[in-house]
Amino acid sequence: MAESYKEIMNDIDTFIFDVDGVLTDSSVHVSQNGEMLRIMNIRDGFAMKAAIESGYNVCIISGGNNEGVRIRLRNLGITDIHLASPNKVETFKEYTELYNINPEKVLYMGDDIPDYHVMQLVGLPTCPQDAVAEIKAISKYISHKNGGKGAVREVIEQVMKVQGKWHLYYNGKHD
């Protein structure tokens, strides 16, 4: 019998997220000078920071490249930020080998075809509610929230609750 996503959440120690369509709603606002601006959810940011402060690994792997995104993520305490990644599988393998991370203990959230192959390598492939059909088909958990609208917060909070760490965090008892 296949494990439920809640059972898999017990073992998660690493979160990896795509940017566009996961941390954002897939929209790009283009300024007059051609700069592409994205909107990110504050609650997603809070949850990523809580995960880091609670001892989880948090990594970003994205095909997009935007310095504003990098600055935002660094300000949350994320140090493993891989933007303009031409091959997400290769980046994923390098990251997990560098930190000796077991892929079965990784939750990856993606939303579109560039995430497909890397999602097949992790223990808990997840996606936002508005992900494309191919990604939903391989996800063990589909968030009730859309990308950029709290999907990241939802999965982090669920993992931390399953592991008994969420209440410690919001009660100020985290390390």
Side-chain angles (χ1 to χ4, degrees):
M1 185 171 147
E3 280 185 295
S4 75
Y5 73 90
K6 289 276 189 185
E7 291 171 317
I8 298 168
M9 285 182 173
N10 277 311
D11 296 324
I12 296 301
D13 64 12
T14 301
F15 297 98
I16 301 178
F17 301 105
D18 179 30
V19 173
D20 294 320
V22 172
L23 289 170
T24 75
D25 68 0
S26 297
S27 297
V28 177
H29 301 272
V30 182
S31 71
Q32 225 172 339
N33 66 1
E35 183 181 4
M36 291 191 270
L37 306 172
R38 290 158 175 87
I39 296 174
M40 293 184 160
N41 187 291
I42 293 295
R43 291 181 185 145
D44 287 347
F46 174 83
M48 289 187 291
K49 189 172 182 174
I52 291 165
E53 291 177 0
S54 297
Y56 295 91
N57 304 305
V58 177
C59 176
I60 305 299
I61 302 177
S62 177
N65 189 16
N66 180 285
E67 194 55 30
V69 168
R70 185 184 309 277
I71 291 167
R72 165 75 177 140
L73 296 170
R74 277 198 182 132
N75 286 341
L76 294 173
I78 301 170
T79 56
D80 293 293
I81 305 167
H82 304 275
L83 303 180
S85 177
N87 182 330
K88 290 186 177 190
V89 168
E90 185 177 305
T91 303
F92 169 78
K93 287 181 177 179
E94 289 171 1
Y95 172 73
T96 54
E97 287 172 15
L98 177 66
Y99 294 104
N100 197 27
I101 294 169
N102 178 349
E104 288 298 312
K105 295 183 176 193
V106 173
L107 179 152
Y108 184 102
M109 181 175 272
D111 73 304
D112 208 346
I113 300 303
D115 302 303
Y116 187 87
H117 294 293
V118 70
M119 288 177 70
Q120 293 180 313
L121 301 176
V122 303
L124 187 53
T126 66
C127 68
Q129 178 62 40
D130 59 344
V132 300
E134 294 88 348
I135 296 301
K136 285 182 172 183
I138 63 168
S139 292
K140 291 182 182 175
Y141 179 74
I142 300 172
S143 173
H144 300 287
K145 308 264 186 191
N146 286 343
K149 304 294 183 187
V152 168
R153 163 72 177 255
E154 182 189 17
V155 296
I156 291 174
E157 188 175 327
Q158 279 196 58
V159 168
M160 290 180 72
K161 282 180 176 177
V162 164
Q163 295 181 9
K165 294 181 180 180
W166 184 253
H167 72 282
L168 295 176
Y169 189 79
Y170 74 76
N171 283 326
K173 296 177 184 169
H174 63 284
D175 293 286

